[in-house]
Amino acid sequence: MRTNLFACAQIPEGESYHRLARTPRFRWWVPPLALLVFAVLLFFLWVGVVVVMTIVAILGGSGLAPDSVRVGEIAGLAFGLAAIALLAPVTLFVARVVQWRRPGSLISVTGRMRWGWLARCVLVAAVPVTAGAALLLALMGDGPAEAPITVDYGTAEVLAAALLVIVLLVPLQSVAEEMTLRGMVMQLVGSLGSPHDDSAFSRVLRSPWPAVLAGGTLFAALYAATHPGDLWNTAALAVLGLGMAWVTWRTGGLEAAIGLHVVNSLVQFSLCAVEGRLADVGTGMVLGGGLPLGTNTPMTLVLALVQVGLYLLLVTAMARRHGVRRRSVTTQV
């Protein structure tokens, strides 16, 4: 009887999310091979995006009016978000072809997106984002008087186009980032500890903490490497990342992290569009409540702590109430 080399590997019953890549077909060389394939595919995909952006820049993309939100900025935003969204199919390909497992196991312990749970998380995420905005306004109100913010709508058509790009592409970009950082990275690290080795080192690797640390701090580390003086921004990114990595493990899937990421990003990008600051999106992300990275003040960290702390409390309570699954229950996810 022939063995199908391309058949999906079975996921052992009772595994936590971070251990779903540790299938019977796991070998020591699978994690480095997965990283290599991911890097190669991403390189060629992004080269294609750069080529398309260059062609568009040559053919057009000039502003409709001085000092307004420009068509070129909208096109750049669209291409930038689309380039990040390409992370999603790449991670799914790596899971299926390199790791020989069902791509759905990258999403949750049930092997699929739990849409009802995701919808609840999106609704709950509006609470900490609103609280963060209120805290920001209160803190800024106590500070020295500054010049009022100038809202630059440009034309209604340009603003509508910018908001349409944001609504359509930001959710895809947010999902792709979570699938990469809280999905692929956490599961690659979580797959390292052998279930047959009872040494202290192997037990540590099998625990969720190395995976949470890796998936939660990778982006902050990359940001710190490119912005060595932005201590508070880096700390805020680490808080956000660690919170989303922990809640991914706690709820058995990416839905809770995606919920906060999508709502946060939609609010932030929309504020940039309304204020005519789309060009700022390419130079630094913005945190919830409209506070841009680049201020590099303790307020940035305070805002992140409030948002993440409140969100984790609400989501974990809701997950407990609704009995959200944390472990795989079948031999074929």
Side-chain angles (χ1 to χ4, degrees), residues 19 22 191-207:
R19 293 283 291 171
R22 186 78 189 202
S191 68
L192 297 179
S194 172
H196 308 296
D197 183 1
D198 199 38
S199 66
F201 182 69
S202 186
R203 289 199 301 270
V204 170
L205 287 178
R206 290 197 301 268
S207 74

Side-chain angles (χ1 to χ4, degrees), residues 90-330:
V90 172
T91 55
L92 292 174
F93 177 87
V94 169
R96 179 62 183 87
V97 176
V98 181
Q99 298 175 317
W100 301 301
R101 61 186 174 113
R102 291 183 181 271
S105 61
L106 191 69
I107 306 298
S108 75
V109 293
T110 65
R112 58 181 175 82
M113 183 71 76
R114 298 169 291 186
W115 294 105
W117 172 237
L118 175 61
R120 291 188 180 98
C121 291
V122 169
L123 293 176
V124 168
V127 176
V129 171
T130 302
L135 176 62
L136 175 63
L137 291 175
L139 292 174
M140 291 181 65
D142 294 335
E146 297 181 357
I149 297 176
T150 301
V151 179
D152 183 6
Y153 291 90
T155 65
E157 291 80 4
V158 173
L159 179 61
L163 294 176
L164 180 62
V165 167
I166 290 169
V167 170
L168 292 178
L169 294 182
V170 163
L172 298 178
Q173 168 255 346
S174 301
V175 170
E177 288 187 0
E178 292 307 316
M179 289 175 64
T180 303
L181 295 173
R182 259 63 70 175
M184 186 185 72
V185 171
M186 281 186 62
Q187 290 185 345
L188 282 177
V189 175
S191 68
L192 297 179
S194 172
H196 308 296
D197 183 1
D198 199 38
S199 66
F201 182 69
S202 186
R203 289 199 301 270
V204 170
L205 287 178
R206 290 197 301 268
S207 74
W209 306 117
V212 168
L213 286 173
T217 61
L218 178 59
F219 187 84
L222 294 175
Y223 183 87
T226 56
H227 303 77
D230 289 2
L231 174 63
W232 296 109
N233 291 333
T234 301
L237 287 173
V239 168
L240 286 168
L242 288 170
M244 288 189 284
W246 181 86
V247 81
T248 295
W249 166 77
R250 174 62 180 78
T251 60
L254 296 175
E255 297 90 351
I258 290 173
L260 179 60
H261 198 147
V262 168
V263 173
N264 224 356
S265 295
L266 283 174
V267 170
Q268 298 152 8
F269 280 63
S270 298
L271 285 173
C272 286
V274 169
E275 297 173 5
R277 296 187 293 110
L278 284 182
D280 294 343
V281 174
T283 59
M285 299 188 323
V286 284
L287 296 178
L291 182 64
L293 283 184
T295 53
N296 196 32
T297 65
M299 188 190 306
T300 309
L301 179 58
V302 170
L303 180 60
L305 288 169
V306 170
Q307 284 189 329
V308 174
L310 181 57
Y311 184 69
L312 294 185
L313 288 174
L314 294 173
V315 165
T316 52
M318 187 169 61
R320 192 179 303 110
R321 185 184 315 117
H322 291 280
V324 174
R325 196 181 307 282
R326 299 177 57 183
R327 293 179 177 272
S328 58
V329 294
T330 61

Side-chain angles (χ1 to χ4, degrees), residues 66-85:
D67 301 323
S68 67
V69 178
R70 297 179 180 276
V71 172
E73 292 177 355
I74 298 175
L77 173 66
F79 280 116
L81 293 175
I84 298 176

Side-chain angles (χ1 to χ4, degrees), residues 45-56:
L45 285 173
W46 280 0
V47 166
V49 170
V50 171
V51 170
V52 174
M53 289 182 64
T54 303
I55 294 173
V56 171

